[in-house]
Amino acid sequence: MSVTVHHFKVYDAASDSWIVPPLKSMSERIQDIRGIIIPGTAEEVDRALLDEQGRYDPRPRGGERARVLN
C-alpha cells in the first residue's frame, strides 16, 4: 500500500530558525509535530519504506544534514 509523504519545515526555538529535516513524513505526522508542509514535495512511496516513526528517507545512502532556513 502506498502513502504520500512530504518534505516539511519545523521551527527550532533553540536556533530561532526554521529547519528542513532530510526525511519526509506523512501529513498527519507533520501536523503532530507542528511542522509546515513544503508545497511541491509530495511523493508516493510504499508504506513498508517508512521507519518506525513514520518517516521516509529519500536520500541515497550517505546522508546529509538538515538545512537551516532563515
Side-chain angles (χ1 to χ4, degrees):
M1 174 162 127
S2 66
V3 295
T4 303
V5 293
H6 310 266
H7 273 301
F8 60 97
K9 62 183 180 178
V10 289
Y11 183 74
D12 178 36
S15 65
D16 190 30
S17 60
W18 288 93
I19 303 293
V20 178
L23 304 181
K24 290 185 169 187
S25 291
M26 293 187 299
S27 60
E28 297 84 1
R29 181 176 183 280
I30 295 169
Q31 289 174 5
D32 288 347
I33 61 171
R34 297 183 178 172
I36 298 173
I37 291 173
I38 298 174
T41 63
E43 182 177 351
E44 292 289 318
V45 299
D46 190 297
R47 183 179 287 275
L49 297 175
L50 302 180
D51 69 10
E52 61 281 346
Q53 295 179 18
R55 301 173 302 183
Y56 169 70
D57 190 346
R59 302 169 296 176
R61 298 296 170 212
E64 66 182 61
R65 305 185 115 213
R67 293 178 291 161
V68 176
L69 303 178
N70 291 324

